[in-house]
């Protein structure tokens, strides 16, 4: 389970970097989507895998949606 959580966090980090480097106009949504994570869990470092997965998936959806709009 620890490895799965680490993998998801790594993906989140990569997606965040992609947004910052390739989609700077989407950076304003990063703070908004981070605020959807339960703050108590963030502060106590007890984020569930499902929370992290949802956040990762929201970042992927943000990029995909933006790419579709550009086409």
């Amino acid at each position: 389970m620890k490895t799965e959580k680490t993998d998801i966090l790594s993906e989140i980090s990569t997606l965040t970097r992609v947004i910052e480097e390739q989609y700077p106009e989407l950076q304003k949504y990063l703070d908004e989507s981070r605020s959807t994570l339960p703050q108590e869990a963030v502060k106590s470092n007890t984020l569930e895998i499902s929370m992290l997965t949802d956040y990762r998936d929201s970042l992927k959806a943000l990029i995909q949606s933006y790419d579709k709009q550009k086409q």
Side-chain angles (χ1 to χ4, degrees), residues 19-71:
I19 290 171
E20 290 171 347
E21 293 174 0
Q22 297 177 19
Y23 305 93
E25 58 278 12
L26 297 179
Q27 285 188 38
K28 61 184 174 185
Y29 299 111
L30 291 179
D31 286 335
E32 292 174 10
S33 57
R34 283 185 191 122
S35 67
T36 62
L37 292 170
Q39 294 306 304
E40 301 86 39
V42 171
K43 289 177 185 175
S44 64
N45 200 23
T46 58
L47 285 170
E48 298 291 327
I49 289 177
S50 62
M51 293 177 210
L52 293 172
T53 301
D54 289 346
Y55 182 57
R56 179 201 58 202
D57 293 345
S58 72
L59 293 176
K60 287 180 180 181
L62 178 65
I63 292 170
Q64 289 173 347
S65 175
Y66 186 76
D67 281 342
K68 285 181 183 177
Q69 288 178 7
K70 285 176 55 177
Q71 292 178 352

